[in-house]
Amino acid sequence: MSHENNIDQIRVGIGELGRSGWGIHANAMAQLTRHFNVVAVCDPDRERQEEA
């Protein structure tokens, strides 16, 4: 049996949803939902908060 089937998702938070936070990290984790679960985001821009 493969250990990969028993891996729990890693819960992550993203601080700031600018170019790196939204464009790189969030997009990368969206492709890896089997491994990552974004549970929190933080950004001073109200529109980005609502979009997330």
Side-chain angles (χ1 to χ4, degrees):
M1 180 185 301
S2 170
H3 290 287
E4 189 171 325
N5 293 332
N6 296 323
I7 296 174
D8 290 331
Q9 286 182 319
I10 298 170
R11 298 182 316 168
V12 297
I14 300 173
E16 302 270 345
L17 296 169
R19 184 179 63 112
S20 292
W22 191 254
I24 296 172
H25 302 298
N27 283 332
M29 286 183 257
Q31 302 300 312
L32 301 168
T33 57
R34 181 175 178 193
H35 300 288
F36 296 99
N37 183 16
V38 178
V39 297
V41 296
C42 175
D43 195 282
D45 184 327
R46 181 66 141 195
E47 289 180 25
R48 287 186 179 160
Q49 291 174 12
E50 292 174 8
E51 183 181 359

